[in-house]
Amino acid sequence: MIVVMKRGTTEESVQLMARRVEELGLKAHIIQGTERVVIAAIGDKRGSERDTLASYEEVEQVVPILAPYKVASREIKSEPTVIKVRDLVIGGGRIGVIAGPCSVESEEQIIDSAVKVKAAGATALRGGAFKPRTSPYSFQGMKEEGLKLLAAARDVTGLAVVTEVMTPHHVDLVAQYADVLQIGARNMQNYHLLEAVGKVRKPVLLKRGPSATMEEFLLAAEYILDQGNQEVILCERGIRTFETHTRFTLPLASVPYLKERTHLPIVVDPSHGTGIASLVAPMCTASVACGADGLIVEVHPDPKKAMSDASQTISPEGFAKAMDQCRIVATALGRQLG
Ligand code: PEP
Ligand code: MN
């Protein structure tokens, strides 16, 4: 249920109302809109709670939430959620650009990448320190050493750091270094991991599972929101289909579809979405055109030498050209890249 508070209700009354919601055995999420405050009252209902809550003086109305995902739903918050961390702004007309190598490989590689993607317009640095690899024999990432190198690259450039956390045991460690915690596609339905990052007060970039439906994707986001972390960024990174010409199939219709249903920002990953370097730039511009709030792109100073995902990785020069094109599209549509 959504408990819509009357305009001008004091903070104290909102807190009191949230306590009343909890006394009914429901979870209260306070959502501050520009116009008014609403309280999402979530949980198993017995039926009488709606009338009880509606009877309070400071409550304007109580309406049911129809979507299975509650806090993620547009029904609860019509204004878009905007994520801001350092110079990275995602949502509300600003297109955040996260770029960098698939994996952190060395100090020189990550700092060089950071300097070059920043010069081309990136507002955050990506780079995996803990890598989910299909084969146990592939490079698994530099782990904590990689996190330290990401922090060093942030010191040099000021870029926000986006990096993956693969297990609940590593959440505190990764959160010490990262500005944004990435949940990889393979972990989209790792509910213990989702709950663990939901307890952290840092934004989470949640990648769509390659076979997840939109509803499963939004319910995965709901796990994080339900723990009180309101800063969730959705990432469309492509799905498995019968098609084999690309590594995955990148369904860009999910961007406007999600925007109709959730207030959360949506970022597109054209690198994993296509798996082919030459397709990355055109799919970046297409993502901006269809309303994406951000991009996450794999860029390496020497793509052929990348230790993971080389075939989908673009050079800093290629990235700079892609960003020039994206800027033109963004400006034409009244939005701002970076
Ligand atoms: C990555 O970002 O390098 C990655 C492993 O992505 P995904 O989880 O989407 O496969
Ligand atoms: Mn990768």
Side-chain angles (χ1 to χ4, degrees):
M1 288 175 289
I2 308 170
V3 181
V4 183
M5 304 301 287
K6 284 188 178 151
R7 234 179 257 260
T9 308
T10 62
E11 170 65 24
E12 213 183 333
S13 307
V14 172
Q15 293 297 339
L16 177 62
M17 201 61 211
R19 281 202 296 280
R20 286 172 179 148
V21 167
E22 305 233 323
E23 276 160 22
L24 289 171
L26 303 170
K27 204 167 207 171
H29 291 270
I30 300 172
I31 292 153
Q32 209 81 37
T34 43
E35 296 276 303
R36 63 184 78 211
V37 178
V38 304
I39 302 171
I42 315 286
D44 266 344
K45 296 179 286 292
R46 290 175 302 276
S48 57
E49 297 90 341
R50 187 172 168 184
D51 291 341
T52 310
L53 294 170
S55 69
Y56 289 101
E57 171 71 31
E58 54 278 49
V59 172
E60 181 152 307
Q61 55 172 336
V62 180
V63 282
I65 307 169
L66 299 177
Y69 37 88
K70 308 293 177 190
V71 189
S73 157
R74 275 260 179 211
E75 294 170 52
I76 241 174
K77 185 166 175 268
S78 55
E79 308 106 67
T81 291
V82 181
I83 308 287
K84 291 187 189 146
V85 43
R86 297 179 184 268
D87 290 338
L88 175 67
V89 186
I90 298 182
R94 293 280 298 275
I95 301 165
V97 182
I98 305 163
C102 179
S103 303
V104 181
E105 298 168 6
S106 68
E107 181 168 7
E108 191 192 351
Q109 174 251 17
I110 196 67
I111 290 180
D112 197 18
S113 301
V115 169
K116 287 177 173 157
V117 298
K118 184 178 179 175
T123 42
L125 174 68
R126 63 148 292 146
F130 291 95
K131 293 303 302 177
R133 303 305 303 281
T134 302
S135 164
Y137 308 119
S138 303
F139 174 56
Q140 303 285 311
M142 292 182 74
K143 309 197 165 86
E144 188 168 1
E145 182 56 24
L147 296 175
K148 289 184 178 154
L149 297 180
L150 285 164
R154 173 176 53 213
D155 288 345
V156 172
T157 57
L159 288 175
V161 164
V162 182
T163 195
E164 177 161 354
V165 56
M166 285 172 57
T167 154
H169 310 299
H170 287 156
V171 168
D172 289 343
L173 173 72
V174 177
Q176 268 176 47
Y177 296 95
D179 296 296
V180 176
L181 300 168
Q182 176 176 324
I183 301 295
R186 290 156 192 80
N187 270 321
M188 190 206 81
Q189 286 179 311
N190 180 340
Y191 299 120
H192 289 139
L193 180 58
L194 299 178
E195 283 171 358
V197 296
K199 293 193 172 87
V200 175
R201 290 297 163 265
K202 290 203 170 180
V204 175
L205 179 98
L206 176 66
K207 292 190 137 194
R208 179 183 182 182
S211 62
T213 63
M214 288 284 109
E215 191 168 306
E216 288 164 341
F217 190 17
L218 287 166
L219 283 168
E222 190 79 8
Y223 266 88
I224 303 169
L225 297 166
D226 185 54
Q227 294 298 317
N229 189 344
Q230 300 194 356
E231 297 190 293
V232 178
I233 305 156
L234 301 171
C235 177
E236 174 57 82
R237 49 77 75 210
I239 54 171
R240 265 278 151 82
T241 68
F242 58 83
E243 186 54 80
T244 52
H245 79 291
T246 48
R247 183 180 179 195
F248 292 95
T249 296
L250 184 59
L252 286 184
S254 61
V255 175
Y257 180 90
L258 285 166
K259 283 190 158 287
E260 287 176 10
R261 283 157 184 82
T262 181
H263 51 85
L264 299 173
I266 300 125
V267 160
V268 177
D269 175 348
S271 307
H272 293 85
T274 63
I276 301 172
S278 64
L279 303 183
V280 171
M283 294 318 282
C284 283
T285 41
S287 303
V288 172
C290 72
D293 299 297
L295 296 166
I296 178 164
V297 186
E298 289 187 337
V299 182
H300 190 287
D302 191 352
K304 281 190 285 302
K305 294 210 176 115
M307 290 172 74
S308 55
D309 287 348
S311 61
Q312 66 194 34
T313 298
I314 60 174
S315 66
E317 299 71 34
F319 175 66
K321 282 194 194 127
M323 290 305 103
D324 289 345
Q325 298 276 305
C326 287
R327 217 167 277 118
I328 295 168
V329 177
T331 309
L333 294 172
R335 291 182 297 137
Q336 189 188 325
L337 189 85

